[in-house]
Amino acid sequence: MKVLILGGYSGIAQKVGELLAAEGSSLFLVGRNKEKLEIVAKHFEVLGAKNVWVEQADLNNLDNHKMIIERAMNTLMGLDLLLVCYGILPDQKELEQNPEKILVNYYTNSISIIHFVSLIANFFESKNAGIIAVITSVAGELGRKTNYFYGSAKACVDVFLDGLRHRLFRTNVKVVTIKPGIVDTAMTKDIENKILIAKPEVVATDIIRGIRNGKNIIYTPWYWKYIMTVLKILPISLFNRLNI
């Protein structure tokens, strides 16, 4: 399989990449830190990846997206899967007090993803094949006082993916929305309340299994689907009393 991974050294991306590498896939990794990318690339090569290439880039620069896609496709000699694994977890309190800082959150967690995926979707649609898999978050399903800036950015991506999936329904292009809960990675190291935190290797296994089973939406771990369902049906008067 020929795979383009955005956020190639994120905790989840590394574990998914390990599974793909062990199967002999060719991988093209994109991220801001070239040194980290190269370390991960060597690890994937040891595990059995057919080939691994890296591309240093700031994905918030939308002007770079076409070039990255062209380089990846030319290097891989095609593309089967786009896996989007990057994002930031902003400081909710800081953004509440300094709304002028909110744009980085929305650019990184929403706008840049939507732009990149839109370009890939057009390519996949033209050849009538391909898989687009994007990691969002269960935080996008319900606004909560502790992370509504982050959650609202993810909600934007969720709705975009819903629409893209609807648009491509009659093609052989698959659009997969991946909704993890809290995962034990560098991004969540400062979170104080880590109830039900999941290991990234568990999440990675769920992602690969879900993609192969043709899932449109993957909750990982599985119980988050039911947790969010319960939270969403609570009366608003009761929900507002919860300290979450």
Side-chain angles (χ1 to χ4, degrees):
M1 182 177 284
K2 301 170 182 178
V3 185
L4 170 57
I5 302 179
L6 306 184
Y9 51 81
S10 72
I12 297 175
Q14 289 187 51
K15 294 304 178 182
V16 174
E18 287 176 0
L19 297 176
L20 293 170
E23 297 173 351
S25 294
S26 294
L27 307 172
F28 193 99
L29 313 178
V30 181
R32 291 185 178 183
N33 189 310
K34 189 173 184 180
E35 183 178 352
K36 290 182 179 180
L37 287 171
E38 289 175 342
I39 291 171
V40 173
K42 290 178 181 177
H43 178 56
F44 290 164
E45 288 171 350
V46 170
L47 290 176
K50 183 177 181 180
N51 294 291
V52 187
W53 295 272
V54 302
E55 176 82 16
Q56 182 180 18
D58 179 359
L59 290 165
N60 279 356
N61 186 344
L62 307 188
D63 293 335
N64 287 337
H65 288 186
K66 283 187 178 180
M67 178 188 67
I68 293 169
I69 292 169
E70 289 173 0
R71 187 169 296 155
M73 289 181 179
N74 290 336
T75 302
L76 291 166
M77 292 187 290
L79 185 64
D80 301 310
L81 167 65
L82 169 68
L83 180 62
V84 180
C85 296
Y86 71 94
I88 58 172
L89 187 62
D91 185 319
Q92 174 70 28
K93 292 296 183 182
E94 182 182 11
L95 296 190
E96 289 173 10
Q97 298 302 315
N98 301 284
E100 66 275 7
K101 296 183 178 181
I102 65 176
L103 286 181
V104 173
N105 168 56
Y106 289 108
Y107 250 90
T108 304
N109 289 326
S110 180
I111 294 171
S112 64
I113 293 172
I114 289 172
H115 184 266
F116 201 103
V117 169
S118 294
L119 294 173
I120 288 288
N122 291 339
F123 167 75
F124 280 161
E125 186 177 27
S126 70
K127 72 168 193 171
N128 195 35
I131 303 169
I132 297 169
V134 182
I135 296 176
T136 64
S137 172
V138 294
E141 295 203 1
L142 188 65
R144 296 179 288 120
K145 65 181 180 180
T146 54
N147 70 349
Y148 61 80
F149 284 108
Y150 175 76
S152 60
K154 293 302 185 180
C156 182
V157 177
D158 282 349
V159 174
F160 163 77
L161 293 173
D162 287 343
L164 183 63
R165 186 180 301 112
H166 191 194
R167 165 189 155 191
L168 299 174
F169 174 73
R170 298 188 186 282
T171 72
N172 289 319
V173 182
K174 306 303 178 185
V175 179
V176 185
T177 305
I178 302 162
K179 297 187 177 187
I182 301 175
V183 184
D184 189 12
T185 65
M187 191 174 81
T188 61
K189 63 182 176 60
D190 294 326
I191 293 179
E192 294 181 1
N193 186 0
K194 295 185 178 181
I195 297 175
L196 300 177
I197 191 166
K199 294 296 183 183
E201 51 266 32
V202 173
V203 172
T205 299
D206 287 345
I207 290 171
I208 293 297
R209 183 189 301 118
I211 290 173
R212 288 188 173 147
N213 289 342
K215 295 282 188 180
N216 292 315
I217 299 175
I218 300 170
Y219 286 88
T220 177
W222 60 269
Y223 47 74
W224 279 105
K225 177 179 181 179
Y226 302 98
I227 291 172
M228 298 312 298
T229 298
V230 170
L231 288 175
K232 286 188 290 185
I233 64 175
L234 288 177
I236 192 66
S237 58
L238 178 57
F239 174 78
N240 283 340
R241 295 175 184 271
L242 300 177
N243 189 29
I244 59 174

